[in-house]
Every structure is written in structure tokens, then in C-alpha cells.
Amino acid sequence: MDDFGRSKNSYKYSNSARIAEISPGGETFKFFVNGGGYGSYALNGKSTSTINGTKSSVDIKYTKDDPRLEYGAVGGAGISFGLGGAHIAY
């Protein structure tokens, strides 16, 4: 395959998530619901490209106007089966 036009960007982030869980039920069978939020902040990055067999690499530098913060909500639900000292959750 021709090397013309290959490129790769990689980024480093600092991530944090906070999730709460509610799980009513007994020891052998439980239903659970969880939810919370997450945040991520872009620290730095690197762009690598190959054009006509020549490789180059550039550090990605952020300015004060760049959108570096990402956030959102997470959630889930499932059931848990108790097997003595172990649990299986789906």
C-alpha cells in the first residue's frame, strides 16, 4: 500500500468519574441501577504523519481558546446473582 497521506493523532487526558449505585435485593439475587457523571481534561497530544515515505511528528499545543474539557453522564442497570462468596453481574 502507498504511504501517501497516513496520519495518526494521539492525545493524553486526565479523567475522573463518580458513580453511585442502588442495589435492592437479597444475597442471591439483586437488581441494580447506577448513574453519575464524568469529566475529562486534555493534557497534550502528538500528531504523526507519513507523506511519500517521509515521517514527521508535531506536538499538539493547546491555547486558551481550545476546547479541552469534556463532561457527561453515565448510567446502567443490571442483575447480580450470588454464588456463595462470589457474584456474577450482567
Side-chain angles (χ1 to χ4, degrees):
M1 183 173 160
D2 191 358
D3 280 340
F4 185 79
R6 287 187 187 182
S7 66
K8 177 183 175 183
N9 294 328
S10 59
Y11 304 94
K12 290 186 182 174
Y13 288 90
S14 176
N15 301 305
S16 179
R18 299 292 178 251
I19 299 173
E21 180 176 290
I22 299 171
S23 54
E27 287 296 313
T28 58
F29 179 80
K30 286 186 195 179
F31 174 76
F32 62 87
V33 177
N34 54 35
Y38 75 91
S40 181
Y41 185 76
L43 300 172
N44 58 37
K46 183 171 277 213
S47 178
T48 305
S49 61
T50 303
I51 299 175
N52 290 332
T54 303
K55 290 184 180 183
S56 65
S57 180
V58 176
D59 289 335
I60 297 172
K61 300 201 185 293
Y62 294 103
T63 65
K64 65 178 181 145
D65 297 326
D66 289 331
R68 298 173 74 172
L69 182 65
E70 297 177 1
Y71 53 90
V74 295
I79 55 175
S80 173
F81 300 99
L83 302 171
H87 287 281
I88 298 175
Y90 294 95

